[in-house]
Amino acid sequence: MLIKIYPENPNEKAIEQVVEVLKKGGLIIYPTDTIYGLGCDITNQKAIEKICRIRGIKPEKANFSFICQDLKHISDYIKPIDNTTFRVLKKALPGPFTFIFNANNNVPKLLSSNKKTVGIRVPDNNIARCIVKELGNPILSTSIRDDDDVIEYSTDPELIHEKYEDLVDLVIDGGYGDNEASTVIDCTQGEFEVIREGKGDIAEFL
């Protein structure tokens, strides 16, 4: 199913429809401020396993992100951070960054059996944040990669739908996506270490 949602003013009924799919263990493809993401409810183990099968990876080896609504949401899943880190997050988010933190015990067991860290995102995209707000907890997310290494990321929601319609329950058309991923920053040692250059420049906020 492909549904159109406008990022400037997401339709409440459409957001509720998406959340209904997530609560039933469905998978969605949705827009962010970078590339389109493949997501599910982080509390649904079967849905997480389905995403792992699509990506061909084991849950305990997966580097998924949690899409959160805001900074308060983040603190539910990570160990306490210092004031400096908090100030940088406050300036940089919402934005095109994935911050890696030390995970606390709220991270679903399926994901944290061997992992002590969690990637956190607060995208600058109203659709993604409205979904998380309505759902009441983060979306577990991974990026939609294209089989063509030259393209790397699919940007056209209609083409994404054609490719994934048999694998996911719902694709949101929120307009063309970007083809540049988020910048990934490791914060587990108390420093800001960029481990993947992407769309965001963290230097602007340090």
Side-chain angles (χ1 to χ4, degrees):
M1 176 167 45
L2 179 68
I3 63 170
K4 177 88 182 164
I5 301 179
Y6 294 94
E8 303 78 31
N9 189 16
N11 178 295
E12 221 173 287
K13 285 263 183 295
I15 295 292
E16 284 169 10
Q17 189 182 352
V18 174
V19 168
E20 200 54 42
V21 167
L22 288 168
K23 284 183 172 170
K24 288 178 178 164
L27 306 188
I28 65 165
I29 291 175
Y30 66 99
T32 70
D33 52 355
T34 55
I35 53 190
Y36 267 78
L38 166 64
C40 72
D41 183 339
I42 61 161
T43 64
N44 192 301
Q45 189 168 331
K46 283 198 165 60
I48 295 171
E49 287 167 354
K50 268 194 265 181
I51 286 188
C52 290
R53 279 199 298 276
I54 289 173
R55 291 297 306 268
I57 42 184
K58 292 183 172 161
E60 62 276 12
K61 295 255 169 37
N63 288 319
F64 294 128
S65 311
F66 283 15
I67 304 293
C68 295
Q69 184 198 343
D70 52 29
L71 278 178
K72 185 198 160 300
H73 224 168
I74 290 174
S75 61
D76 292 342
Y77 297 94
I78 65 171
K79 290 190 171 163
I81 55 174
D82 59 40
N83 288 337
T84 309
T85 306
F86 182 79
R87 278 198 293 273
V88 172
L89 292 185
K90 206 168 176 186
K91 286 190 280 186
L93 296 175
F97 300 99
T98 301
F99 290 100
I100 297 172
F101 292 106
N102 294 304
N104 67 20
N105 293 335
N106 291 338
V107 172
K109 286 286 172 279
L110 178 71
L111 295 173
S112 60
S113 48
N114 294 330
K115 290 172 77 67
K116 302 287 183 277
T117 60
V118 60
I120 297 284
R121 284 213 66 200
V122 181
D124 188 10
N125 180 287
N126 286 333
I127 298 171
R129 294 207 314 279
C130 283
I131 292 168
V132 172
K133 183 182 181 184
E134 180 70 25
L135 181 63
N137 55 254
I139 300 170
L140 178 101
S141 187
T142 181
S143 49
I144 293 295
R145 295 193 76 85
D146 204 286
D147 297 332
D148 183 342
D149 287 340
V150 178
I151 302 170
E152 194 159 9
Y153 298 110
S154 298
T155 58
D156 183 335
E158 292 196 2
L159 294 179
I160 292 171
H161 178 250
E162 271 176 38
K163 181 176 174 180
Y164 285 95
E165 63 181 326
D166 295 333
L167 296 171
V168 304
D169 300 272
L170 188 146
V171 176
I172 296 169
D173 176 354
Y176 275 90
D178 210 316
N179 62 356
E180 190 176 12
S182 62
T183 294
V184 180
I185 298 150
D186 188 340
C187 303
T188 56
Q189 306 300 320
E191 303 286 319
F192 290 91
E193 186 192 346
V194 175
I195 54 177
R196 181 182 75 190
E197 294 278 359
K199 190 175 175 184
D201 180 7
I202 195 63
E204 292 174 24
F205 304 101
L206 296 178

